Amino acid sequence: MDIEELRTFVEVADAGGVSPAARRLGVAKSIVSRRLFRLEAELGIQLLARSTRGAVLTEAGEAFRDFAFRIATEVDVAKETILPEGELRGRLRVSVPLTFGPTHIAPVLNEMARLHPQLSIQACYTDRFVDLVAEGYDCAIRIGYLPDSNLVARRIGPLSGKLVASPAYIRLHGAPETPEDIIGHEALLQANEPWQFMDGDRMVTVRPQGRFKADNGQALASAACAGLGLARLPDDFIDEHIAAGRLVALLPDYPPPAAGAYVLRAPGQHPVRKIRVLTDLLIRYWNDREALAALAHHTP
């Protein structure tokens, strides 16, 4: 029984069809179809019911999917155990935030690809929180505050931020003096999330309201500079604007709680080495801006 056929079957089962599985695997649809045909022929049973809308698991396929996943995972772990320590093979599919991704993550992925020429890296840049298992990702990098979940997280570095507004907004609407005052202001939001601030050792939570929302930090910083409201953003997006006088830092006595950048993976007994290597690289470069800049401008 071919291990690539098992992996392909799991991808099709999880993706819901040959076409999305082919995109995940980075191969032609015809290759996926051939692998499925050979696997079903060897087993002598139909695993997937195909239609123009995709593919769904048969009863036998439902039972076999978990076995196939475990076998493929154990083979990966076994290969990592016997391969030379520096050698990485296979595919790494990672979800990267569009916020911070091109500047902080992309150079590290470039370096990983350079160091491991036999590793295939597929990065999807989006600020949407993807479903790692359902969408076929090995891991995701997420920025900010982590909601409770069953995912395994490892922190790669700290992230600090401030509440800001433009001088024009402050002239028209005034500045909040306490976190509770934010309720009376127009807020620039990434989602319907609460905002938290530290009052000494006590955390204060407020639920701001606003008519302007965006899923990208740079877009929110631009809106704040345009005088559309208050924004709570990482320092990387606002320090330049503060220095230029386009934004003003607010509530200095009530800083947001420390946030961070994290690598998340699905729970399992053995984190694969390619995820550990990526995590270690990210930890190495996250706080070293000079080294990160050197990576971004690396030429052979």
Side-chain angles (χ1 to χ4, degrees):
M1 190 173 296
D2 186 87
I3 191 65
E4 289 304 321
E5 293 172 5
L6 293 177
R7 288 197 181 99
T8 299
F9 164 67
V10 172
E11 289 287 0
V12 174
D14 292 349
V18 170
S19 295
R23 288 194 294 270
R24 289 185 183 185
L25 293 167
V27 300
K29 291 190 293 183
S30 58
I31 294 176
V32 173
S33 296
R34 283 199 297 271
R35 289 175 181 173
L36 290 175
F37 177 80
R38 289 196 298 265
L39 180 62
E40 289 182 324
E42 182 175 356
L43 293 172
I45 195 167
Q46 185 179 5
L47 299 172
L48 292 153
R50 299 151 178 88
S51 70
T52 55
R53 296 182 178 180
V56 296
L57 290 169
T58 63
E59 184 177 354
E62 289 274 6
F64 188 69
R65 186 265 173 209
D66 290 341
F67 287 106
F69 176 79
R70 286 199 295 271
I71 291 168
T73 301
E74 289 299 325
V75 169
D76 286 340
V77 172
K79 283 184 177 180
E80 288 186 350
T81 301
I82 63 175
L83 284 173
E85 180 61 27
E87 187 176 358
L88 290 177
R89 299 174 182 268
R91 182 199 66 173
L92 175 65
R93 191 163 189 257
V94 54
S95 173
V96 182
L98 187 59
T99 299
F100 282 104
T103 54
H104 290 63
I105 310 302
V108 178
L109 291 175
N110 297 343
E111 178 70 358
M112 191 168 180
R114 187 184 69 82
L115 293 172
H116 303 282
Q118 297 186 76
L119 179 68
S120 173
I121 297 177
Q122 299 177 8
C124 176
Y125 288 80
T126 176
D127 283 328
R128 178 177 64 85
F129 276 21
V130 301
D131 185 323
L132 296 184
V133 177
E135 298 181 52
Y137 288 97
D138 296 295
C139 63
I141 299 163
R142 291 182 179 167
I143 306 295
Y145 308 95
L146 287 183
D148 291 336
S149 74
N150 65 342
L151 299 176
V152 178
R154 185 175 176 192
R155 191 170 185 261
I156 60 176
L159 190 69
S160 58
K162 298 180 182 70
L163 183 73
V164 295
S166 71
Y169 179 90
I170 294 171
R171 284 195 299 271
L172 286 174
H173 304 284
E177 296 183 2
T178 68
E180 290 83 359
D181 294 340
I182 291 172
I183 301 302
H185 285 267
E186 188 73 22
L188 306 173
L189 303 169
Q190 187 159 359
N192 293 321
E193 80 282 4
W195 284 358
Q196 296 174 323
F197 300 88
M198 299 306 298
D199 182 3
D201 294 332
R202 182 175 68 95
M203 184 177 292
V204 180
T205 300
V206 297
R207 293 193 173 275
Q209 301 297 318
R211 63 186 179 87
F212 189 98
K213 295 182 181 180
D215 63 357
N216 180 268
Q218 291 171 320
L220 292 173
S222 175
C225 290
L228 297 181
L230 310 179
R232 193 191 64 163
L233 291 167
D235 289 338
D236 287 60
F237 293 143
I238 56 179
D239 281 347
E240 181 180 341
H241 297 303
I242 291 174
R246 292 185 291 269
L247 291 175
V248 176
L250 305 172
L251 299 182
D253 295 331
Y254 303 92
Y262 302 86
V263 174
L264 278 71
R265 64 174 176 85
Q269 185 177 3
H270 304 288
V272 293
R273 187 158 60 90
K274 57 192 174 184
I275 299 177
R276 297 199 304 269
V277 170
L278 173 61
T279 303
D280 290 343
L281 277 175
L282 288 167
I283 291 171
R284 174 183 173 187
Y285 286 106
W286 182 261
N287 290 315
D288 192 338
R289 298 305 165 84
E290 290 185 4
L292 191 63
L295 275 188
H297 296 93
H298 173 82
T299 54

